[in-house]
Amino acid sequence: MGCVLSELGLGWGASSVQEEAAPPDPMLALSQEEVRLLRDSWRLIQDDISKVGVIMFVRLFETHPECKNVFFLFRDVDDLQRLRASKELRTHGLRVMSFVEKSVARVDHPEHLEQLALELGKSHYRYNAPPKYYQYIGTEFMSAVQPILKEKWTPEVENIWQRLFTYISNVMQRGYHEEEMRKAEEKNRHRSQNAV
Protein backbone atom coordinates (compact mmCIF):
# COMPACT_ATOMS: atom_id res chain seq x y z
CA MET A 1 0.00 0.00 0.00
CA GLY A 2 2.21 2.79 -1.23
CA CYS A 3 1.67 6.45 -0.65
CA VAL A 4 2.08 9.27 -3.16
CA LEU A 5 1.43 12.98 -2.94
CA SER A 6 2.98 14.10 -6.20
CA GLU A 7 -0.33 15.44 -7.50
CA LEU A 8 -0.40 18.00 -4.71
CA GLY A 9 2.23 20.11 -6.42
CA LEU A 10 4.85 19.69 -3.73
CA GLY A 11 8.45 20.02 -4.87
CA TRP A 12 10.56 16.91 -4.51
CA GLY A 13 13.91 18.41 -5.43
CA ALA A 14 16.70 19.34 -3.04
CA SER A 15 15.01 22.70 -2.42
CA SER A 16 12.13 21.04 -0.58
CA VAL A 17 14.57 20.13 2.20
CA GLN A 18 14.97 23.81 3.06
CA GLU A 19 11.31 24.69 2.50
CA GLU A 20 9.95 22.04 4.85
CA ALA A 21 12.46 21.64 7.66
CA ALA A 22 11.40 19.26 10.40
CA PRO A 23 10.73 20.84 13.77
CA PRO A 24 13.03 19.90 16.62
CA ASP A 25 12.07 16.74 18.46
CA PRO A 26 10.33 17.39 21.75
CA MET A 27 11.39 15.01 24.46
CA LEU A 28 8.76 12.44 25.21
CA ALA A 29 9.24 12.40 28.94
CA LEU A 30 6.34 10.49 30.43
CA SER A 31 6.08 9.79 34.12
CA GLN A 32 5.50 6.23 35.29
CA GLU A 33 1.87 7.12 35.97
CA GLU A 34 1.48 8.52 32.43
CA VAL A 35 3.02 5.36 30.94
CA ARG A 36 0.57 3.30 32.99
CA LEU A 37 -2.40 5.40 31.80
CA LEU A 38 -1.25 5.14 28.19
CA ARG A 39 -0.86 1.37 28.38
CA ASP A 40 -4.13 0.91 30.28
CA SER A 41 -6.01 2.87 27.63
CA TRP A 42 -4.25 0.93 24.85
CA ARG A 43 -5.36 -2.37 26.45
CA LEU A 44 -8.97 -1.20 26.23
CA ILE A 45 -8.51 -0.15 22.59
CA GLN A 46 -6.74 -3.38 21.51
CA ASP A 47 -9.94 -5.39 21.14
CA ASP A 48 -11.16 -2.89 18.55
CA ILE A 49 -7.93 -2.10 16.65
CA SER A 50 -9.28 -3.24 13.31
CA LYS A 51 -12.35 -1.06 13.73
CA VAL A 52 -10.27 1.87 15.02
CA GLY A 53 -7.96 1.66 11.99
CA VAL A 54 -10.86 1.82 9.54
CA ILE A 55 -12.68 4.59 11.44
CA MET A 56 -9.45 6.57 11.68
CA PHE A 57 -8.79 6.49 7.93
CA VAL A 58 -12.41 7.08 6.90
CA ARG A 59 -12.47 10.13 9.21
CA LEU A 60 -9.13 11.25 7.79
CA PHE A 61 -10.51 11.09 4.25
CA GLU A 62 -13.70 12.88 5.34
CA THR A 63 -11.94 15.72 7.16
CA HIS A 64 -8.93 15.97 4.82
CA PRO A 65 -10.02 14.58 1.44
CA GLU A 66 -6.74 15.62 -0.13
CA CYS A 67 -5.06 12.90 1.97
CA LYS A 68 -6.82 10.25 -0.08
CA ASN A 69 -4.44 11.10 -2.91
CA VAL A 70 -1.63 9.67 -0.79
CA PHE A 71 -2.98 6.16 -1.22
CA PHE A 72 -2.91 4.53 -4.64
CA LEU A 73 -5.68 2.10 -3.72
CA PHE A 74 -8.10 4.63 -2.25
CA ARG A 75 -7.66 7.78 -4.29
CA ASP A 76 -10.49 6.98 -6.71
CA VAL A 77 -12.96 5.63 -4.13
CA ASP A 78 -15.54 8.33 -3.47
CA ASP A 79 -18.13 6.14 -1.75
CA LEU A 80 -17.32 6.09 1.98
CA GLN A 81 -19.41 2.94 2.50
CA ARG A 82 -17.29 1.13 -0.06
CA LEU A 83 -14.19 2.51 1.64
CA ARG A 84 -15.37 1.29 5.06
CA ALA A 85 -15.78 -2.22 3.62
CA SER A 86 -12.41 -2.14 1.83
CA LYS A 87 -10.15 -5.05 2.73
CA GLU A 88 -7.13 -2.94 1.75
CA LEU A 89 -8.15 -0.10 4.07
CA ARG A 90 -8.64 -2.58 6.90
CA THR A 91 -5.16 -4.02 6.23
CA HIS A 92 -3.54 -0.59 6.18
CA GLY A 93 -5.41 0.44 9.33
CA LEU A 94 -4.13 -2.69 11.09
CA ARG A 95 -0.60 -1.86 9.95
CA VAL A 96 -0.90 1.60 11.51
CA MET A 97 -2.40 0.14 14.69
CA SER A 98 0.53 -2.28 14.86
CA PHE A 99 2.88 0.70 14.73
CA VAL A 100 0.91 2.38 17.55
CA GLU A 101 1.14 -0.82 19.59
CA LYS A 102 4.92 -0.98 19.07
CA SER A 103 5.19 2.69 20.05
CA VAL A 104 3.23 2.16 23.26
CA ALA A 105 5.48 -0.81 24.09
CA ARG A 106 8.57 1.39 23.64
CA VAL A 107 7.55 4.57 25.50
CA ASP A 108 9.86 3.73 28.38
CA HIS A 109 12.73 2.96 25.95
CA PRO A 110 13.09 6.32 24.15
CA GLU A 111 15.97 5.24 21.91
CA HIS A 112 13.91 2.32 20.56
CA LEU A 113 10.82 4.48 20.06
CA GLU A 114 12.88 7.11 18.29
CA GLN A 115 14.44 4.53 15.93
CA LEU A 116 11.02 3.06 15.14
CA ALA A 117 9.54 6.47 14.23
CA LEU A 118 12.69 7.52 12.35
CA GLU A 119 12.50 4.42 10.13
CA LEU A 120 8.79 5.03 9.51
CA GLY A 121 9.57 8.58 8.38
CA LYS A 122 12.25 7.29 6.01
CA SER A 123 9.85 4.77 4.51
CA HIS A 124 7.27 7.53 4.01
CA TYR A 125 9.84 9.42 1.94
CA ARG A 126 10.15 6.35 -0.27
CA TYR A 127 6.31 6.33 -0.61
CA ASN A 128 6.39 10.05 -1.56
CA ALA A 129 4.24 10.88 1.48
CA PRO A 130 5.53 14.17 2.93
CA PRO A 131 5.31 15.20 6.58
CA LYS A 132 2.53 17.69 5.95
CA TYR A 133 -0.08 15.02 6.80
CA TYR A 134 1.52 13.06 9.64
CA GLN A 135 -0.10 15.11 12.39
CA TYR A 136 -3.61 14.27 11.16
CA ILE A 137 -3.27 10.59 12.06
CA GLY A 138 -2.99 11.30 15.80
CA THR A 139 -6.02 13.58 15.73
CA GLU A 140 -8.13 11.00 13.92
CA PHE A 141 -6.86 8.18 16.14
CA MET A 142 -7.93 10.08 19.24
CA SER A 143 -11.35 10.84 17.74
CA ALA A 144 -11.80 7.14 16.94
CA VAL A 145 -10.81 5.84 20.38
CA GLN A 146 -12.63 8.40 22.52
CA PRO A 147 -16.03 6.63 22.16
CA ILE A 148 -14.40 3.28 22.94
CA LEU A 149 -12.79 4.54 26.15
CA LYS A 150 -15.91 6.46 27.22
CA GLU A 151 -15.40 7.80 30.78
CA LYS A 152 -11.79 6.57 30.78
CA TRP A 153 -11.03 9.18 28.09
CA THR A 154 -9.93 11.93 30.46
CA PRO A 155 -8.11 15.19 29.67
CA GLU A 156 -4.97 13.58 31.09
CA VAL A 157 -5.25 10.52 28.83
CA GLU A 158 -5.94 12.76 25.84
CA ASN A 159 -2.85 14.85 26.67
CA ILE A 160 -0.65 11.76 26.88
CA TRP A 161 -1.83 10.43 23.51
CA GLN A 162 -1.42 13.89 21.97
CA ARG A 163 2.15 14.11 23.25
CA LEU A 164 2.93 10.62 21.91
CA PHE A 165 1.58 11.40 18.43
CA THR A 166 3.30 14.81 18.35
CA TYR A 167 6.59 13.15 19.22
CA ILE A 168 6.12 10.40 16.61
CA SER A 169 5.16 12.94 13.95
CA ASN A 170 8.21 15.09 14.66
CA VAL A 171 10.62 12.15 14.59
CA MET A 172 9.00 10.85 11.40
CA GLN A 173 9.54 14.27 9.83
CA ARG A 174 13.20 14.10 10.77
CA GLY A 175 13.45 10.60 9.25
CA TYR A 176 11.72 11.79 6.08
CA HIS A 177 14.17 14.69 5.70
CA GLU A 178 17.20 12.53 6.47
CA GLU A 179 16.16 10.10 3.74
CA GLU A 180 15.43 12.99 1.37
CA MET A 181 18.90 14.44 1.95
CA ARG A 182 20.54 11.03 1.62
CA LYS A 183 18.81 10.46 -1.73
CA ALA A 184 19.77 13.95 -2.95
CA GLU A 185 23.42 13.32 -2.00
CA GLU A 186 23.31 9.92 -3.70
CA LYS A 187 21.88 11.51 -6.84
CA ASN A 188 24.54 14.25 -6.81
CA ARG A 189 27.29 11.65 -6.34
CA HIS A 190 25.91 9.66 -9.24
CA ARG A 191 25.82 12.79 -11.44
CA SER A 192 29.42 13.64 -10.49
CA GLN A 193 30.61 10.14 -11.33
CA ASN A 194 28.86 10.24 -14.70
CA ALA A 195 30.31 13.66 -15.49
CA VAL A 196 33.86 12.37 -15.09
Side-chain angles (χ1 to χ4, degrees):
M1 243 160 285
C3 304
V4 66
L5 285 173
S6 57
E7 286 110 34
L8 298 178
L10 297 169
W12 297 107
S15 64
S16 65
V17 174
Q18 288 109 11
E19 293 168 9
E20 197 179 315
D25 296 335
M27 290 301 296
L28 183 65
L30 298 179
S31 69
Q32 295 227 345
E33 176 62 13
E34 289 171 325
V35 169
R36 185 190 65 74
L37 284 171
L38 182 72
R39 288 186 174 149
D40 286 351
S41 63
W42 176 251
R43 276 193 273 294
L44 295 172
I45 296 164
Q46 273 183 309
D47 292 337
D48 294 309
I49 59 172
S50 176
K51 184 171 97 176
V52 170
V54 170
I55 292 169
M56 182 178 64
F57 277 102
V58 169
R59 284 186 49 84
L60 177 68
F61 298 152
E62 284 176 327
T63 58
H64 300 283
E66 71 279 9
C67 290
K68 204 164 51 157
N69 290 329
V70 172
F71 301 91
F72 292 116
L73 296 172
F74 314 132
R75 74 167 56 142
D76 295 326
V77 180
D78 291 323
D79 178 10
L80 291 178
Q81 274 308 111
R82 204 171 111 213
L83 197 57
R84 281 183 185 94
S86 166
K87 181 179 155 190
E88 291 83 6
L89 184 65
R90 183 182 203 82
T91 300
H92 190 72
L94 281 170
R95 199 174 296 142
V96 172
M97 291 298 102
S98 173
F99 175 83
V100 173
E101 183 172 43
K102 290 175 187 173
S103 298
V104 169
R106 288 167 175 79
V107 292
D108 46 3
H109 299 284
E111 65 285 348
H112 298 159
L113 177 58
E114 180 182 26
Q115 192 59 41
L116 183 72
L118 202 60
E119 291 305 317
L120 187 63
K122 289 177 181 182
S123 70
H124 276 66
Y125 173 81
R126 293 187 291 272
Y127 296 143
N128 291 328
K132 180 178 178 179
Y133 299 102
Y134 301 169
Q135 65 187 347
Y136 299 151
I137 295 296
T139 301
E140 299 309 336
F141 171 85
M142 290 188 291
S143 292
V145 300
Q146 189 173 0
I148 294 168
L149 293 176
K150 298 177 182 151
E151 71 280 347
K152 294 196 187 289
W153 184 259
T154 64
E156 185 178 13
V157 169
E158 181 176 0
N159 177 268
I160 295 164
W161 279 106
Q162 180 63 51
R163 286 167 49 205
L164 175 63
F165 276 104
T166 298
Y167 175 80
I168 289 169
S169 177
N170 288 341
V171 176
M172 282 180 65
Q173 287 180 47
R174 183 163 47 91
Y176 177 96
H177 292 297
E178 284 178 11
E179 186 68 7
E180 182 179 37
M181 289 172 56
R182 189 186 72 74
K183 286 291 189 179
E185 289 169 4
E186 190 177 281
K187 191 175 182 179
N188 287 337
R189 238 186 347 267
H190 183 70
R191 277 190 202 144
S192 296
Q193 289 172 349
N194 287 341
V196 173

